[in-house]
Amino acid sequence: QVQLVESGGGLAQPGGSLRLSCAASGSIFSINFMSWYRQTPGKERELVAEISTYGTTNYANSVKGRFTISRDNAKNTVNLQMNSLKPEDTAVYYCNAQIKLQSRIGYSSYWGQGTQVTVSS
């Protein structure tokens, strides 16, 4: 019932910018952390950035100073502003959210289907 849908991926030039968005929907009781991961062929999926309910953030060293994660709790959305893009940023980006469906149970991890980001000249 829970769905995470990413948008905003595409092609960008090195040094350019893209903004990714992810919207969670369904029978959601609450959402804890929301985050962005990325994956390229031959590599494990890696955490890019995460943000808590109250706005505390954590970034991978490779994107610090270039990417900014934000969220809107009222809309159940999380965004990733990507600036100064590099070819190394090319990957499929996945939205992740820790979601509680009922108050009596714990949080579970949910994934979006991913959106392709390609940085190339």
Side-chain angles (χ1 to χ4, degrees), residues 8-117:
L11 176 65
Q13 297 288 315
S17 298
L18 286 174
R19 183 176 177 85
L20 305 183
S21 296
C22 173
S25 62
S27 56
I28 299 172
F29 178 77
S30 65
I31 302 178
N32 193 2
F33 276 83
M34 301 187 81
S35 57
W36 288 95
Y37 288 72
R38 66 186 182 187
Q39 187 169 26
T40 57
K43 296 184 64 178
E44 295 184 354
R45 189 172 299 183
E46 64 175 347
L47 176 68
V48 177
E50 62 181 1
I51 184 169
S52 74
T53 301
Y54 296 98
T56 56
T57 59
N58 181 46
Y59 296 91
N61 288 333
S62 60
V63 306
K64 286 182 178 178
R66 300 189 298 119
F67 292 8
T68 302
I69 189 170
S70 61
R71 67 188 288 170
D72 186 332
N73 292 333
K75 298 180 180 179
N76 287 336
T77 59
V78 62
N79 308 115
L80 185 68
Q81 179 66 47
M82 304 185 293
N83 298 326
S84 301
L85 285 165
K86 303 175 181 180
E88 304 91 271
D89 296 319
T90 296
V92 177
Y93 284 71
Y94 296 90
C95 176
N96 177 267
Q98 296 178 343
I99 299 175
K100 181 179 290 188
L101 302 183
Q102 298 175 312
S103 62
R104 63 184 178 86
I105 61 176
Y107 289 93
S108 295
S109 181
Y110 292 85
W111 294 93
Q113 294 186 344
T115 184
Q116 177 70 47
V117 171

